[in-house]
Amino acid sequence: MELLDNLALGFSTALLVQNVLYCFVGVLLGTAVGVLPGIGPTATVAMLLPITFSFEPVTALIMLAGIYYGAQYGGSTTAILINLPGESSAAVTALDGHEMARHGRAGAALATAAVGSFIAGTVATVVLAVAAPPLARVALKFGPAEYFSLVLLGLIVSIALARGSALKALAMIALGVLLGTVGQDIYTGTPRFVFDQRELYGGIDFVSVAVGMFGVAEILRNLENEQTRTAIVSKVKNLWPTREDRRRIVGPILRGTGLGAALGVLPGGGHVLASFTSYAVEKRISKRPQEFGRGAIEGVAGPESANNAAAQTSFIPLLTLGLPAHPVMALMVGAFIVHGITPGPNVITDEPALFWGLIASMWIGNVLLVLLNLPLIGVWVRMLRIPYQVLFPMIILFAAIGTYSLGFNAYDVYAIVFFGLLGYVLIKCGCEPAPLLLGFVLGPLLEENMRRALIISRGDPSVFLTRPISAVLLALAVAALVAAALPTIRRRREVMFTEED
């Protein structure tokens, strides 16, 4: 009964006119950036973050969340129609979705993606509503030692799930943690790594790092390697799948939803991992494995359901533990903090309208996405005709204006340029910037809880091993690190993300 009361509170918040409006704006922008290759939800959320600071906290978070899960929808549209995934998790959808389009079945593929995404999003929202409160109650029992071990586990698991070299991912996390220590010491106030720059005494600005590493760096990379885009798409017909299609997609949608809901909580690229795992499972259990890669509708239904379910459940560790599962969630942590809210188990009791309003808005957003995606297919594809040389300078301009408007400090704009160039150099060296951002966000939390635990234990480091929950979390962290180094696991990771690259 309590759950129903909470959901009623959530819908009463989410259905306020301004919240519905910004939810619509969020999913619309999310769909657009999902369609356009090279921008992505991380860069978009990073660059729109400054604009939301004048909003009410719940309105800002509803809009930013809409951008994220809206991008999961949008990425499938161009993957199916022109074999060019707009979002990384849609790469596997292109394998069979585009083959269906080539055989005149684009309508069935798009409808399958939309229906699968809606069902998965709805189920995952229910999972979030049911699972979050008990997890938050458990998290309230965590002390500093447990939180230190939990954050460490999250960082190491993100290494195991990162693309490319695990060693490079570890180096990026270490660099992020190091950047997070810049500024005054949290206990003594002693300046650290400020190099006599007064602007660094308060630490490096989170928005400047996010916009530079994910906005400017990605734009530079895409301008260097602009892909030829063809948007010649005939009118899509027969949007509703046939009776045989409907029979074949039920199982993949349910299995994909379950996989996505489970894998979405993992640090790193949970939504990407979910879509590839779903495809592998469907191909393995299918009675017609030879059809995969040649237009199997199961190859669209499973992965699309998985990545959308994962997009919703990735909010579970954020809302219950205050830990981001991936870069977009790290940006959401920044949004919480800027609005004066500490993400974690206390949000559900201190800000119930925000907590349940955000959850309810996800269902509303999923309904809006179904209504948006199928009727406006032609509009999304026409967006691909906008030249990068026109689109990207406008994006950088608005990002710079938004960042400058936060504190009216030109130093923040210079920081965007610095981190944009740094991010570009790191990408050219084969290093992903995502682990760096996770390290930057979680580093201060790691340090604070480590030092607090040591102060309570009078400097005894065994406190991390003598407390049972902390010891179990540390053991899992060691196991994840060993697993990431094993040759078999390393080869599977490389195969898993080959299509994404």
Side-chain angles (χ1 to χ4, degrees):
M1 201 66 184
E2 184 184 359
L3 178 61
L4 294 177
D5 291 340
N6 288 329
L7 287 174
L9 171 64
F11 277 104
S12 68
T13 303
L15 288 171
L16 293 174
V17 174
Q18 71 269 24
N19 290 339
V20 173
L21 174 63
Y22 281 106
C23 181
F24 175 78
V25 171
V27 297
L28 184 67
L29 284 171
T31 303
V33 300
V35 167
L36 290 169
I39 301 177
T42 308
T44 306
V45 171
M47 290 184 283
L48 290 179
L49 196 57
I51 298 172
T52 65
F53 292 165
S54 60
F55 297 175
E56 288 293 316
V58 65
T59 304
L61 292 166
I62 283 173
M63 177 178 159
L64 294 174
I67 291 171
Y68 173 53
Y69 57 80
Q72 310 306 314
Y73 271 74
S76 64
T77 301
T78 45
I80 290 169
L81 294 179
I82 60 175
N83 199 27
L84 193 59
E87 219 282 320
S88 56
S89 56
V92 71
T93 304
L95 297 177
D96 285 285
H98 186 59
E99 286 299 313
M100 289 180 68
R102 287 182 60 193
H103 291 94
R105 304 197 64 223
L110 289 164
T112 298
V115 170
S117 297
F118 175 74
I119 293 172
T122 301
V123 172
T125 302
V126 173
V127 171
L128 175 57
V130 172
L135 271 176
R137 284 193 289 271
V138 171
L140 286 171
K141 299 176 182 178
F142 278 27
E146 287 80 7
Y147 259 110
F148 167 81
S149 302
L150 182 65
V151 173
L152 187 64
L153 172 63
L155 289 173
I156 289 176
V157 171
S158 70
I159 294 169
L161 296 178
R163 291 190 305 168
S165 166
L167 187 61
K168 288 180 179 177
L170 177 61
M172 287 297 95
I173 283 179
L175 179 58
V177 171
L178 187 64
L179 289 172
T181 63
V182 172
Q184 292 177 297
D185 185 281
I186 54 176
Y187 287 107
T188 66
T190 306
R192 302 182 298 188
F193 307 115
V194 297
F195 305 105
D196 293 326
Q197 296 294 314
R198 187 182 60 184
E199 289 86 353
L200 291 177
Y201 273 61
I204 297 173
D205 185 60
F206 170 78
V207 175
S208 298
V209 175
V211 173
M213 297 294 288
F214 286 95
V216 177
E218 282 295 313
I219 285 171
L220 291 174
R221 183 175 67 85
N222 280 282
L223 286 175
E224 184 186 55
N225 300 310
E226 184 174 357
Q227 294 170 291
T228 302
R229 297 173 293 171
T230 55
I232 304 169
V233 182
S234 59
K235 188 175 181 181
V236 177
K237 300 176 182 177
N238 302 323
L239 276 176
W240 195 244
T242 63
R243 180 180 295 179
E244 173 64 14
D245 288 338
R246 294 197 293 273
R247 185 187 65 79
R248 290 175 61 176
I249 66 176
V250 171
I253 287 175
L254 296 177
R255 286 187 291 270
T257 300
L259 275 171
L263 295 175
V265 300
L266 295 177
H271 60 300
V272 179
L273 186 67
S275 62
F276 279 83
T277 303
S278 174
Y279 188 84
V281 167
E282 293 307 322
K283 187 173 181 180
R284 177 163 293 185
I285 67 174
S286 175
K287 296 177 181 177
R288 297 177 285 266
Q290 70 280 1
E291 289 186 17
F292 280 76
R294 298 178 181 176
I297 198 167
E298 295 91 340
V300 175
E304 277 301 302
S305 303
N307 78 55
N308 279 275
Q312 312 280 16
T313 56
S314 62
F315 283 86
I316 291 176
L318 172 71
L319 294 173
T320 58
L321 304 171
L323 298 178
H326 50 74
V328 176
M329 293 300 110
L331 293 166
M332 296 289 284
V333 169
F336 270 98
I337 292 170
V338 166
H339 285 286
I341 301 167
T342 303
N346 289 316
V347 172
I348 194 170
T349 52
D350 296 347
E351 301 282 348
L354 183 147
F355 182 91
W356 293 105
L358 181 59
I359 290 174
S361 75
M362 293 179 187
W363 189 82
I364 296 169
N366 275 287
V367 173
L368 291 172
L369 281 164
V370 171
L371 299 176
L372 269 176
N373 272 264
L374 295 178
L376 298 180
I377 288 166
V379 174
W380 303 128
V381 176
R382 286 190 195 98
M383 286 180 61
L384 292 166
R385 293 174 179 162
I386 302 173
Y388 277 172
Q389 292 88 341
V390 173
L391 186 67
F392 285 166
M394 292 170 59
I395 293 171
I396 291 178
L397 174 65
F398 286 120
I401 292 171
T403 306
Y404 178 76
S405 67
L406 293 180
F408 297 99
N409 189 346
Y411 191 86
D412 292 336
V413 180
Y414 300 149
I416 289 177
V417 176
F418 172 78
F419 284 107
L421 294 174
L422 175 63
Y424 177 70
V425 170
L426 291 174
I427 290 170
K428 295 298 288 182
C429 293
C431 299
E432 284 294 316
L436 185 149
L437 188 64
L438 288 176
F440 181 74
V441 171
L442 294 177
L445 190 62
L446 189 76
E447 180 194 11
E448 182 183 355
N449 283 288
M450 181 186 74
R451 292 176 68 174
R452 191 181 294 168
L454 290 173
I455 289 170
I456 292 171
S457 67
R458 299 176 182 269
D460 181 10
S462 65
V463 67
F464 300 108
L465 298 174
T466 53
R467 295 178 68 93
I469 296 176
S470 176
V472 169
L473 293 170
L474 285 177
L476 291 172
V478 172
L481 196 59
V482 171
L486 291 174
T488 306
I489 301 294
R490 195 162 61 241
R491 282 195 296 271
R492 286 188 179 181
R493 284 171 64 251
E494 288 169 2
V495 170
M496 182 68 71
F497 292 109
T498 297
E499 291 293 339
E500 183 186 346
D501 294 330

